[in-house]
Amino acid sequence: MHDLTGFQRDLLYVITGLDEPHGLAIKEELEDYYEKEIHHGRLYPNLDTLVEKGLVEKGEKDRRTNVYTLTRRGHREIEARREWEQQYTERKKSAPA
């Protein structure tokens, strides 16, 4: 996951957390988090990059709606990232104030 942008990592987390992760739902979640509009020209190319990297699978819900799900590799990458973050966040918690 080291070669992803922060936005791409956020996409992975949002996709993981949604019951039915389609483009508009992902866009709305990110707009809530970033507190600004996410343009289609930013969202979909980044989703396509995640598909190309094998982290996300793109499926069709209907003719107009694509659904995005994490691949096994995507789940492994998120778990590895959590473990990496924990080694730093837990160390600081245990350090004397």
Side-chain angles (χ1 to χ4, degrees), residues 42-60:
R42 181 178 186 200
L43 177 66
Y44 292 102
N46 279 286
L47 285 168
D48 289 341
T49 297
L50 295 174
V51 170
E52 290 167 14
K53 289 181 178 284
L55 300 170
V56 171
E57 191 171 90
K58 180 179 174 179
E60 215 175 81

Side-chain angles (χ1 to χ4, degrees), residues 11-57:
L11 283 169
L12 291 178
Y13 289 122
V14 169
I15 291 168
T16 300
L18 290 175
D19 290 333
E20 201 169 282
H22 56 88
L24 187 57
I26 295 166
K27 181 179 181 295
E28 289 172 352
E29 287 292 322
L30 288 170
E31 286 176 341
D32 285 346
Y33 178 71
Y34 287 121
E35 297 181 346
K36 68 179 187 175
E37 185 178 357
I38 303 297
H39 297 282
H40 293 272
R42 181 178 186 200
L43 177 66
Y44 292 102
N46 279 286
L47 285 168
D48 289 341
T49 297
L50 295 174
V51 170
E52 290 167 14
K53 289 181 178 284
L55 300 170
V56 171
E57 191 171 90

Side-chain angles (χ1 to χ4, degrees), residues 58-70:
K58 180 179 174 179
E60 215 175 81
K61 179 180 177 183
D62 55 45
R63 289 184 174 184
R64 294 183 49 195
T65 308
N66 291 320
V67 177
Y68 298 88
T69 55
L70 253 59

Side-chain angles (χ1 to χ4, degrees), residues 65-82:
T65 308
N66 291 320
V67 177
Y68 298 88
T69 55
L70 253 59
T71 62
R72 284 187 203 180
R73 180 173 172 225
H75 283 286
R76 284 193 311 265
E77 291 289 335
I78 282 183
E79 185 56 35
R81 176 70 184 207
R82 282 188 185 133

